[in-house]
C-alpha cells in the first residue's frame, strides 16, 4: 500500500506528537508564554499526556527549575506523596530559606520523619509550600508539571492549591493534565492559579486520526479501515493506535460487515465492569452491539424479553449511556460495543445476528445479519444481499452497497449467474463511487488473480486504472494487457480507449491524441450499443475541445446531451452536465453556471458519489470566486479539500482551487503553501495538466504576496507547459493577465505586450469578454509604465466597468485598485476608497490589506502614479540621461528613491514586495556604477542644478 499524501495547511510549529491538536497546542503555548498556567482535561486515552509532554519539553528549557509528579490511583491514599515527588529533590536547596516552623513541618511531611498532618500543622505546611515555590522562583522561572491530577492525594492537592492561589506575579507556571468525563473539570482548578487556562482535548477527526496512524507507521491501512478505526475508537488516540496494532498483528483481516478485532488490552480497559452483569443482561448487550441502531423495541423483537431491566442494569454500571428523550440503546463509548462483540464466542455472535435477521425492520439490515449468521455459500442469501446492495445504491449509500456486495460474493456459488467475480466487481465499482479507492483496487486485483473471462478482466483493469486517478504513470503498463484481454470486442475496446483518452491527456500531454481517442471510444461504444460509455466519451471529447478552443466544442456538447440519456452520466463529474458547466463558466455565463453545478452537486450528494461531489464542490467554489464571493468560495474550497484529503480523490485539483481561494479571501501564506504542494505532487504524478494549473495558482499567490519576480518565473512556466499541451483557450486558467501585470511591474514591457497581444487574438476569436477586460487592465498598467497616463486611466476605467457588468466583482476591484494608483485628481489616501469598498464587499481580505497599506504609505499630495514619466526638454534629458539604460521598473524605483521614499513605501506604491525593491536597487547600483541609495539621491541633486 502506498502512503497517503495529504495536502496540509502551511507549515507551522507542530510537533509530531501533537498531531490533530495544533490549535489547542498553540493556545496552551501562548498561555504559558504569557506566564500563565494550563490545565489539560479530557477522557482516558485522548492524548492529554502526549500534549503535556510536548508542552513541558518546549517550556522546560526556559525554566530554571522543573518540578514533576505523576500520581497513580493505587497510591492516591498516601498523604503528601505527590508533594514529595514535586519538592523532594529541591528540599535541601530551599529549606535554609524557610522559617523554622515551616521548615520543620515541610521536612516532616516530605520525609516521613515525624507525624505532620494538615490538621496539626496546617498553616505551617501551607505557608511552607508557598515559601518554597517563591524561594525557587527567586533564582529563575519555575514550571510545575503534574499528570493524572485526578489521582493527586488530597493533602498534596490542598497544599498545592493554597500556594497556587497566592503566587500572584511570582514566575511559577503550572501545567497539569487531568482525566475528566464531559466538562467536569472545575474542581481540579482548585489546585491551579486563578488565571489557569482550561483546555479540553476532544476526539480526533478522521483526517487527524489518519495522520496520527501514518506517523506511527500504520501507512498501509485502506481508507475504509481508517474509517472503521475512527468509528470504533470514537476518535480516541490510544484506542485507535491499539486497534491499528491489532490489525497489523492479525494475519486475517475481518470479513465484510464484521467489526474490527479488539486487542485484549482494550477489552480489559473498557469491559472491567462486564463481570458485574448478569448472564442474560450480557446476552442482551451482545445483541445490541451486533445491531446498527439498537432500540429497546428491536431487542424485544430479537427475543430479549427483559430488555428494559437489563439495559438499565448496564446503564447503572456505565456501559450504556442513558437516553431519557429517545428509545435508542447507546453504548457509553463505541469501544464498549466493539469489545463486547469481540469477547463473545463465534456461536453466540451468529445467534445474535440470526435473531436480528428477522427482527430488524430495514431490509438492508436484515440481509446483513442473515449473511453474518450463515456459513458457506447459499444462493438465497446471496440474492437477498444483492437486492440489499441495489437498495443501498439507490439510497445514496455506495459504501454500504460495496460491503453488502462483498458479503454477497462470499455466499455466491461458483457456478451461479452472475458469478462471484462479477458480484465482486460491482462491489468494487460501488467502492469507487464511495471514494474507497484502496478497497476497490484490492478487489479488482483479487479478481484478476482468479478469472480468465475477458469481460471480467477488462472490467477489473478499468477499476485499477480508475483508482490511480491522475497518477496514470503508475498504471501505464496495464493498457497493453487490457487491450489484449479486450480482443476485437468493440464494447470492451471502447472501455479501454476511453481510458487511453486520459492517458493521452495526463501522461503524453497531447490534446490532439486525446481528442482522437475520445472520438474513437464514442464510435466503438455506439457500434456496440453501450450508450453509457458513448455518452461519457462524447462528454470528455467536448471538455478537451473546450480546452483547445476548438470550434467543434459546442456541437460535441449537444451530441453528448442528445437522447437517450443514461441517468448515471447525467450527474457524473466527467459527464455532459459538467462539460456544459465548464463551457458556461468559460463563456462568462456565471449565473447559469452556478445554477448548473449547484444542481449537479445536490444530485450527487443524494446518490452518495464522493468523487463527483469533490469535483462539483470545486465547481461551485470556482463560480463563487469568479463572482467575487470570496468568503463563500473559501468555505467551499476548504470543504472540497477536506473531502479530497479524506478520500484521496482529486487532492491536487482541490489544493489548487483552495490556493486561489486563500489568495482571494484567506491567507496568502496558505495559498503559497498549498500551491507549492500541488506543483510537487502533480510533477510526481507526471500530470502536465495539473502542473500548469498548480503553477498558475502559485504565480497568482506570488503576485498577491508582492513577489513579482517569482510570479513571472511561475507564470512563464505555465505558458510554456500549456503551449506544449495545446491548450489555447485563455478562459481555462485565466493566468494571462497576471503574467502580463507581473511582467510590467518587473520592467519586462516588450514581453508583457506580447502576452497581451497573443492572448487577445485568441480571446477575441472565442468571445471571452472577461479575459479581454482583464487584458485591458494589464495593458493599462503597461501604458502607465510608458508614461501614457491619460490613456491608461481611460482603459482602466473601461475595464472596471466591463468586469462589473459581467459579474466579476473581484477583478473589478483589482481594476479599481490599479486606477487608484494612477489617478492624479484626488491625491492622498482617499483615492483608494473605491477599491477598498469593492474589496470589502468581496471579503477579499489579502487585497484589502494591500489597499490599506498603499494608502497609509503614500505621502499626502504625492503623485498617484507608480510610474516615472521621462522628463521633456534638453535640460531634462541631460539631468536623467543616466536612467535611460534602466528598465522601466528600475527607473520607477530609482525615481522614488530620489523623492526620499523608503523601501517599504516604494513597495506599497508600486504594489511589489520589499524584497523585490531591494533586488531592483541592486541592479540599479550595478548599472549606474554606484554603491547605495544615498548615491542615487546625490546624483539626482547634482543633476537638478545643471
Amino acid at each position: 500500500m502506498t502512503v497517503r499524501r495529504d495536502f496540509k495547511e502551511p507549515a507551522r510549529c507542530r510537533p509530531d506528537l501533537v498531531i490533530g491538536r495544533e490549535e489547542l497546542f498553540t493556545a496552551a503555548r501562548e498561555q504559558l508564554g504569557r506566564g500563565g498556567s494550563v490545565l489539560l482535561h479530557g477522557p482516558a486515552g485522548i492524548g492529554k499526556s502526549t500534549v503535556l509532554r510536548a508542552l513541558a519539553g518546549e517550556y522546560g528549557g526556559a525554566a530554571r527549575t522543573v518540578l514533576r509528579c505523576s500520581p497513580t490511583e493505587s497510591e492516591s491514599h498516601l498523604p503528601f506523596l505527590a508533594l514529595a515527588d514535586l519538592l523532594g529533590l529541591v528540599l535541601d536547596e530551599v529549606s535554609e530559606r524557610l522559617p523554622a516552623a515551616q521548615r520543620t513541618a515541610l521536612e516532616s511531611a516530605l520525609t516521613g520523619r515525624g507525624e505532620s498532618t494538615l490538621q496539626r500543622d496546617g498553616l505551617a505546611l501551607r505557608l511552607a509550600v508557598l515559601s518554597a515555590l517563591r524561594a525557587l522562583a527567586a533564582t529563575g522561572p519555575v514550571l510545575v508539571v503534574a499528570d493524572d491530577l485526578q489521582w493527586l492525594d488530597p493533602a498534596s492537592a490542598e497544599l498545592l492549591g493554597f500556594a497556587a492561589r497566592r503566587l500572584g506575579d511570582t514566575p511559577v507556571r503550572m501545567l497539569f493534565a487531568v482525566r475528566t468525563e464531559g466538562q467536569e473539570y472545575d474542581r481540579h482548578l482548585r489546585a491551579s492559579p486563578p488565571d489557569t487556562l482550561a483546555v479540553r482535548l476532544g476526539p480526533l477527526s478522521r483526517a487527524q486520526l489518519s495522520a496520527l496512524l501514518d506517523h506511527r507507521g500504520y501507512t498501509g491501512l485502506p481508507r475504509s479501515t481508517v474509517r472503521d478505526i475512527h468509528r470504533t475508537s470514537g476518535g480516541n488516540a490510544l484506542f485507535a493506535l491499539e486497534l491499528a496494532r491489532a490489525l497489523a498483528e492479525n494475519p486475517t483481516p475481518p470479513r465484510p460487515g464484521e467489526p474490527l478485532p479488539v486487542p485484549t488490552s482494550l477489552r480489559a480497559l473498557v469491559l472491567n465492569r462486564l463481570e458485574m452483569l448478569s448472564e442474560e443482561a450480557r446476552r442482551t448487550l451482545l445483541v445490541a452491539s451486533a445491531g446498527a441502531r439498537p432500540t429497546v423495541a428491536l431487542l424485544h423483537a430479537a427475543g430479549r424479553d427483559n430488555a428494559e431491566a437489563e439495559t438499565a442494569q448496564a446503564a447503572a454500571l456505565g456501559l450504556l449511556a442513558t437516553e431519557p428523550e429517545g428509545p435508542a440503546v447507546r453504548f457509553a463509548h463505541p469501544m464498549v460495543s466493539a469489545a463486547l462483540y469481540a469477547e463473545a464466542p463465534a456461536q453466540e455472535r451468529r445467534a445474535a445476528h440470526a435473531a436480528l435477521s428477522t427482527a430488524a425492520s430495514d431490509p438492508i439490515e436484515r440481509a446483513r445479519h442473515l449473511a453474518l449468521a450463515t456459513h458457506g455459500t447459499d444462493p438465497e442469501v446471496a440474492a437477498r444481499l444483492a437486492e440489499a446492495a441495489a437498495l443501498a445504491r439507490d439510497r445514496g449509500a455506495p459504501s454500504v452497497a460495496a460491503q453488502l456486495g462483498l458479503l454477497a460474493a462470499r455466499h455466491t456459488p461458483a457456478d451461479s449467474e452472475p458469478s462471484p467475480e462479477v458480484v465482486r466487481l460491482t462491489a468494487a465499482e460501488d467502492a469507487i463511487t464511495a471514494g474507497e479507492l484502496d478497497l476497490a483496487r484490492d478487489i479488482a486485483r483479487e479478481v484478476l488473480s482468479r478469472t480468465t473471462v475477458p469481460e471480467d478482466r477488462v472490467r477489473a483493469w478499468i477499476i485499477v486504472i480508475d483508482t490511480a486517478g491522475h497518477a496514470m504513470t503508475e498504471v501505464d503498463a496495464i493498457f497493453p494487457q487490457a487491450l489484449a484481454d479486450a480482443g476485437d470486442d468493440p464494447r470492451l475496446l471502447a472501455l479501454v480507449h476511453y481510458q487511453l483518452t486520459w492517458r493521452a491527456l495526463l501522461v503524453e500531454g497531447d490534446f490532439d491524441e486525446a481528442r482522437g481517442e475520445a472520438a474513437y471510444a464514442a464510435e466503438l461504444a455506439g457500434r456496440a450499443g453501450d450508450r453509457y460509455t458513448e455518452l461519457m466519451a462524447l462528454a470528455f471529447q467536448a471538455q478537451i475541445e473546450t480546452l483547445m478552443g476548438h470550434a467543434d466544442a459546442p456541437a460535441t456538447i449537444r451530441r453528448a446531451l442528445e437522447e437517450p440519456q443514461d441517468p448515471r452520466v447525467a450527474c457524473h463529474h466527467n459527464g455532459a452536465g459538467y462539460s456544459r458547466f465548464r463551457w458556461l463558466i468559460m463563456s462568462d455565463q456565471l449565473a447559469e453556471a452556478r445554477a448548473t453545478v449547484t444542481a449537479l452537486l445536490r444530485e450527487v450528494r443524494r446518490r452518495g458519489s464522493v468523487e463527483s461531489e469533490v469535483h462539483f464542490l470545486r465547481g461551485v467554489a470556482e463560480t463563487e470566486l469568479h463572482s467575487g464571493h470570496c468568503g463563500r468560495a473559501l468555505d467551499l474550497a476548504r470543504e472540497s479539500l477536506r473531502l479530497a484529503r479524506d478520500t484521496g480523490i482529486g487532492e491536487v485539483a482541490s489544493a489548487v482551487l483552495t490556493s486561489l481561494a486563500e489568495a482571494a479571501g484567506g491567507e496568502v501564506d496558505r495559498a503559497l503553501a498549498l500551491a507549492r504542494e500541488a506543483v510537487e505532487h502533480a510533477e510526481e504524478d507526471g500530470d502536465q495538466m495539473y502542473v500548469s494549473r498548480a503553477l498558475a495558482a502559485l504565480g497568482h499567490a506570488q503576485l498577491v504576496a508582492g513577489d513579482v519576480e517569482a510570479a513571472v518565473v511561475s507564470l512563464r512556466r505555465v505558458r510554456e507547459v500549456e503551449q506544449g499541451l495545446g491548450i489555447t483557450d485563455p478562459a481555462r486558467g485565466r493566468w494571462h493577465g497576471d503574467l502580463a501585470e507581473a511582467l510590467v511591474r518587473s520592467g519586462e514591457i516588450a514581453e508583457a505586450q506580447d502576452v497581451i497581444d497573443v492572448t487577445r487574438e485568441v480571446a477575441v476569436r472565442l468571445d471571452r469578454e472577461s479575459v479581454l477586460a482583464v487584458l485591458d487592465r494589464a495593458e493599462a498598467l503597461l501604458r502607465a509604465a510608458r508614461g501614457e497616463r491619460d490613456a491608461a486611466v481611460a482603459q482602466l476605467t473601461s475595464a472596471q466597468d466591463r468586469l462589473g457588468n459581467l459579474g466579476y466583482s473581484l477583478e473589478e476591484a483589482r481594476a479599481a485598485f490599479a486606477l487608484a494608483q494612477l489617478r492624479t485628481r484626488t491625491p492622498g489616501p482617499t483615492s483608494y476608497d473605491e477599491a477598498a469598498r469593492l474589496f470589502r464587499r468581496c471579503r477579499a481580505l489579502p487585497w484589502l490589506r494591500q489597499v490599506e497599506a498603499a494608502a497609509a504609505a503614500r505621502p499626502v499630495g504625492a503623485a498617484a502614479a507608480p510610474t516615472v514619466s521621462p522628463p521633456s526638454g534638453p535640460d531634462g534629458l541631460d539631468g536623467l540621461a543616466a536612467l535611460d539604460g534602466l528598465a522601466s521598473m528600475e527607473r520607477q524605483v530609482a525615481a522614488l528613491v530620489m523623492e526620499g521614499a523608503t523601501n517599504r513605501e516604494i513597495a506599497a506604491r508600486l504594489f511589489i514586495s520589499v524584497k523585490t525593491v531591494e533586488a531592483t536597487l541592486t541592479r540599479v547600483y550595478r548599472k549606474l556604477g554606484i554603491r547605495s541609495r544615498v548615491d542615487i539621491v546625490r546624483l539626482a541633486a547634482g543633476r537638478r542644478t545643471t
Side-chain angles (χ1 to χ4, degrees), residues 261-320:
V262 179
T264 305
S265 59
L266 290 186
R267 295 186 200 182
L269 179 64
V270 300
L271 294 180
N272 55 2
R273 286 164 286 188
L274 187 62
E275 295 178 356
M276 302 174 66
L277 280 177
S278 67
E279 183 65 23
E280 290 302 310
R282 191 188 63 77
R283 289 181 179 174
T284 294
L285 256 62
L286 175 61
V287 175
S289 70
R293 293 173 296 276
T295 63
V296 172
L298 177 66
L299 295 175
H300 276 300
R304 307 311 302 166
D305 296 334
N306 297 319
E308 287 94 342
E310 290 159 355
T311 55
Q313 181 187 1
L317 291 172
L319 293 168
L320 295 179

Side-chain angles (χ1 to χ4, degrees), residues 80 82 117 159 226 358 382 455 547 591 621 639 739 774 804 863 868-869 882 894 908:
F80 307 124
T117 64
L159 294 172
V226 173
T358 58
E455 181 174 355
L547 292 174
E639 183 181 354
L739 175 56
V774 169
V868 178
S869 301

